[in-house]
Amino acid sequence: ALARVQSHNGDGGDLFGSAVALSRDGQVLVVGADLEASRSSADGADNALPGAGAAYVFQRDGDGWRQIAYLKASTPTSGGGFGFAVAVSDDGQTIAVSAPFEPGAGLGSVHVFRGSGSQWTPVAHLQAPEGVERFGVDMDLSNSGAELAVAAVGPAAQAQAHVFTWRARRWALDGVVTHRAADGAEVVPRVALAGHGRLLALANGATAVRLFEPAGDGWALALDALSPPPAEHDPALALAFSADGQTLA
């Protein structure tokens, strides 16, 4: 191993490392710990809110890594799962952290931070619409950090991807695409966004994957990339695009 990073306030049950994201230049590392239990970023050792979650930002410093930030939800909630999924832009200056069990009109949210070094400012708190659950169970940022795709479970056993764009200094919803699971099948939404931000992959809990692209004022189906497999196959648990968006794993 080249390096081993640890949180400043780690406990055995925090699930530190359950989600990780690395900037393209390899200088900024974001690590989620969705069962971390502190109440705020000011006091990381109280353990008063089980499962509230946290995210840690590390920066390469010479031959090693040092922790430069400790991120929490704006209002941490017990069981919210902040840090369940994390994403970082290529330049390491935009970070998204999901809390897919945080209560609201629906269930789940995504917190977006911008900054560098030890200074990180929350710029958005994107919340699940009514009737949507596990908003933020998976997500992906484009290379520039200006496009964000958030996976969720919608009504009627639908996998959803909510696509947001950063413009006029705010995040705006550009569209919601869906992929219904087979009758009786568990919905396990997984999402990937091509680096240029103009191609989206969404899995629904089988290995069936749909590709979407911008169309008019929203997003439209471009391709059913894979057909549903036999029932004994496992679901697609992760999706990833190559840097140019030409290859999907």
Side-chain angles (χ1 to χ4, degrees):
L2 296 177
R4 181 171 183 257
V5 299
Q6 293 180 286
S7 60
H8 70 287
N9 63 334
D11 291 314
D14 287 355
L15 289 188
F16 177 85
S18 58
V20 295
L22 185 68
S23 64
R24 190 171 185 179
D25 63 6
Q27 299 299 305
V28 177
L29 174 68
V30 186
V31 182
D34 56 290
L35 293 186
E36 194 267 353
S38 66
R39 285 179 292 186
S40 73
S41 58
D43 183 0
D46 57 31
N47 287 335
L49 288 176
Y56 303 81
V57 186
F58 297 84
Q59 188 169 49
R60 188 185 294 272
D61 186 6
D63 295 328
W65 292 83
R66 62 186 177 92
Q67 183 181 317
I68 58 172
Y70 169 53
L71 306 178
K72 295 285 289 184
S74 52
T75 304
T77 58
S78 181
F82 181 90
F84 188 91
V86 296
V88 61
S89 60
D90 273 11
D91 62 7
Q93 295 184 5
T94 299
I95 290 173
V97 183
S98 77
F101 311 108
E102 189 177 86
L107 188 65
S109 73
V110 171
H111 301 254
V112 186
F113 302 82
R114 290 181 69 86
S116 63
S118 61
Q119 302 300 315
W120 289 89
T121 301
V123 295
H125 182 200
L126 309 173
Q127 295 181 292
E130 187 174 356
V132 172
E133 298 181 350
R134 286 188 279 163
F135 183 85
V137 69
D138 195 23
M139 63 181 181
D140 202 5
L141 269 171
S142 65
N143 292 347
S144 68
E147 293 85 20
L148 172 67
V150 180
V153 178
Q158 287 183 340
Q160 293 186 343
H162 300 245
V163 188
F164 299 86
T165 301
W166 175 259
R167 56 176 179 265
R169 302 189 64 80
R170 60 184 290 270
W171 285 96
L173 179 65
D174 273 354
V176 179
V177 299
T178 63
H179 192 357
R180 190 176 186 278
D183 290 343
E186 181 184 3
V187 183
V188 184
R190 291 295 183 266
V191 69
L193 192 61
H196 47 59
R198 298 186 300 278
L199 186 63
L200 172 75
L202 175 64
N204 65 356
T207 53
V209 179
R210 284 183 171 176
L211 301 183
F212 299 85
E213 60 187 2
D217 294 331
W219 287 69
L221 180 66
L223 179 68
D224 272 323
L226 295 174
S227 298
E232 66 270 14
H233 286 214
D234 291 331
L237 296 181
L239 298 173
F241 274 109
S242 59
D244 60 6
Q246 295 297 304
T247 304
L248 173 68

